[in-house]
Amino acid sequence: MSKNRLIVLLLSLSVGLSVTLQAQDTTYARTIIRTLAGDAMHGRGASYGGDSLAAAYLRSELIRLGVEPLANNYYQSYTFNTFSMEGPCWMKVNNRQLKVYDEFRPTLWSSTINDDDIEVVKVPIETFLDGTLLQQFIAKRKNKLSNCFIYLDCSQVQFANQQEERNYRQRMAELRRRNPFGSRGIIVGLNNLNTSSPVGCDYDHGYDYIEVLASVMPKRIKQLGVGITSQFRRNHPTQNVLGMVRGEVDTMIVYVAHYDHLGIMGKALNPDNEHLVGKEVIFRGAHDNASGVAAVLDLARMAVAEKPHYTTVFMFFSGEESGLKGSAYQAEHPSIDYSKVRLLVNIDLFCGGEEGLMVFNAKAPNTQFYFDRMVKLNEALQVAPEIRPRDLTPNSDHWSFRNLCPVLYVLSMGQPYGGYHSPSDDCAGCGLQYYHNHLVLISTLGY
């Protein structure tokens, strides 16, 4: 295909978008991102019904745009188990109040507790990593451990070889699934705190697991206080939001994005953390994934403005952060005939982009054609600095549909956008200078 023909194809495929958008105009996208990442959405998790508030907003946008419902009043309702934090979250060591998130992070599934006089038992890291020593340690203190917190300082751990490192990581991962001490809680001292995640929120663990910066922990812990207010929400009601624009044929192109995020990490007692608004520790999720939702809504605007050849479907999933819950439910309870889907495109993490786009599942037999043509179009128009192929991985909602239809997952590369799974992932760090060009390129994928 010649360069001129490629340009004609790109322009013809994106004509609908150019009808509704000024060149490089990101006003609509910014409005969507600011709204979804705002205080009122409470991080779009289970806390205060943030996911349902976000879903109602998306439904209102689809109605306003003129997108048809694909489910009952646009909602595909379902439930899953999860946790929420809707109350104080604090930790005090030797009368020093620690900063929530910056200095300590409870797992989102930690149990409710409010106690300013907790006994602490320190466990040497060498003891923890040696199965025999650990059982001996527990046996000697069996009656004492049930009413205390364990403190495990991992800040000085060193490995002689890769096997030792693998063993350490396996033991630490197991500690998040099972408490071998039978204690009220476990505190792990680290040099750098791990990324927050809702993994494990599908069942009640029955203990607290808190990571803390080892640098703020005194050698002698004279006093420990912990306050966490959490709720295990069995069968939490939530919903996918589904719409479509009918095309000239019933063959479909499907665009999807997850609208949920991590919710909140309770309410801090000390409001001096720069990322806190008031006292609520909000995981805003501007990049992850209000940006992807904005892109799919923009594609819906494009489809409404210029009736597409293919019927175009738009799906917004909840529960992605908790393990692809919403997309899995849609795959198991389909709202469309996936045998008629030409291509499903998942958009996640769409801010930034100064280094181009990354496309997952790009080289599969049923998707390589689309990826290769996208690359050729980009070579002709220089829309993105690079379009990098990756293999299929279970890292977002496209995974749920891999056996039903051709799937691609597109994300942006480069440019700081705020912290990943952090309260700092807000609209201030949401660079959109490459957004329009990348969106036009994505709009050609299924054609």
Side-chain angles (χ1 to χ4, degrees), residues 144 227 307 344 439:
K144 182 179 182 181
K307 186 175 180 179
L344 181 147
L439 188 66

Side-chain angles (χ1 to χ4, degrees), residues 12-313:
S12 65
L13 292 174
S14 61
V15 64
L17 186 59
S18 58
V19 168
T20 57
L21 294 177
Q22 297 288 328
Q24 305 300 324
D25 182 12
T26 60
T27 302
Y28 181 67
R30 289 185 184 280
T31 298
I32 298 300
I33 294 170
R34 285 196 183 102
T35 303
L36 290 175
D39 300 357
M41 297 296 176
H42 305 287
R44 306 191 306 278
S47 297
Y48 303 108
D51 54 347
S52 292
L53 293 172
Y57 173 68
L58 295 179
R59 177 171 60 185
S60 69
E61 276 301 296
L62 293 179
I63 294 171
R64 190 182 68 82
L65 293 174
V67 177
E68 294 183 41
L70 191 57
N72 182 26
N73 201 18
Y74 295 88
Y75 281 179
Q76 181 186 37
S77 300
Y78 72 102
T79 65
F80 68 95
N81 295 344
T82 189
F83 269 81
S84 64
M85 290 188 177
E86 298 179 3
C89 183
W90 57 273
M91 182 173 175
K92 183 183 292 186
V93 181
N94 292 1
N95 290 319
R96 181 181 183 273
Q97 192 82 45
L98 304 188
K99 295 180 180 180
V100 61
Y101 188 81
D102 283 351
E103 294 181 330
F104 79 97
R105 297 177 190 173
T107 55
L108 300 180
W109 48 257
S110 287
S111 299
T112 292
I113 185 173
N114 185 31
D115 192 340
D116 59 5
D117 187 19
I118 301 172
E119 184 178 358
V120 180
V121 175
K122 290 186 176 182
V123 179
I125 186 63
E126 297 81 9
T127 298
F128 174 71
L129 294 177
D130 186 307
T132 301
L133 292 178
L134 179 61
Q135 292 305 314
Q136 292 174 351
F137 180 92
I138 293 173
K140 289 181 180 179
R141 299 164 178 80
K142 187 173 183 179
N143 296 330
K144 182 179 182 181
L145 297 180
S146 61
N147 200 39
C148 75
F149 266 54
I150 298 296
Y151 178 58
L152 186 64
D153 185 355
C154 300
S155 63
Q156 303 299 317
V157 64
Q158 296 181 347
F159 312 109
N161 50 57
Q162 291 184 342
Q163 180 57 44
E164 286 189 3
E165 183 176 1
R166 283 194 295 269
N167 177 59
Y168 167 78
R169 297 192 183 283
Q170 290 173 358
R171 298 297 300 277
M172 295 305 296
E174 177 63 23
L175 199 59
R176 284 174 167 263
R177 295 189 292 268
R178 185 183 66 86
N179 181 356
F181 305 99
S183 58
R184 296 175 68 188
I186 298 170
I187 299 174
V188 177
L190 300 170
N191 292 319
N192 297 289
L193 302 181
N194 288 311
T195 302
S196 295
S197 169
V199 171
C201 283
D202 52 347
Y203 67 98
D204 190 351
H205 295 240
Y207 63 101
D208 295 296
Y209 186 98
I210 302 171
E211 292 185 352
V212 63
L213 288 179
S215 58
V216 304
M217 295 295 285
K219 291 184 178 180
R220 184 182 177 189
I221 302 174
K222 300 178 181 179
Q223 180 268 339
L224 172 70
V226 175
I228 298 171
T229 309
S230 66
Q231 301 83 29
F232 177 55
R233 299 186 178 275
R234 188 181 300 277
N235 296 323
H236 168 69
T238 187
Q239 55 283 306
N240 299 322
V241 185
L242 313 176
M244 72 173 179
V245 175
R246 296 183 188 275
E248 298 171 351
V249 298
D250 62 0
T251 301
M252 288 172 280
I253 296 174
V254 182
Y255 296 104
V256 310
H258 77 89
Y259 69 86
D260 65 303
H261 200 50
L262 306 190
I264 66 173
M265 191 176 279
K267 293 183 177 180
L269 295 183
N270 52 318
D272 56 339
N273 184 317
E274 62 178 329
H275 299 312
L276 303 188
V277 176
K279 294 185 178 181
E280 197 170 81
V281 186
I282 305 173
F283 292 95
R284 300 184 173 280
H287 180 56
D288 183 15
N289 182 39
S291 62
V293 171
V296 173
L297 284 172
D298 251 335
L299 290 165
R301 288 210 300 167
M302 170 183 170
V304 171
E306 183 76 12
K307 186 175 180 179
H309 176 67
Y310 297 114
T311 294
T312 311
V313 174

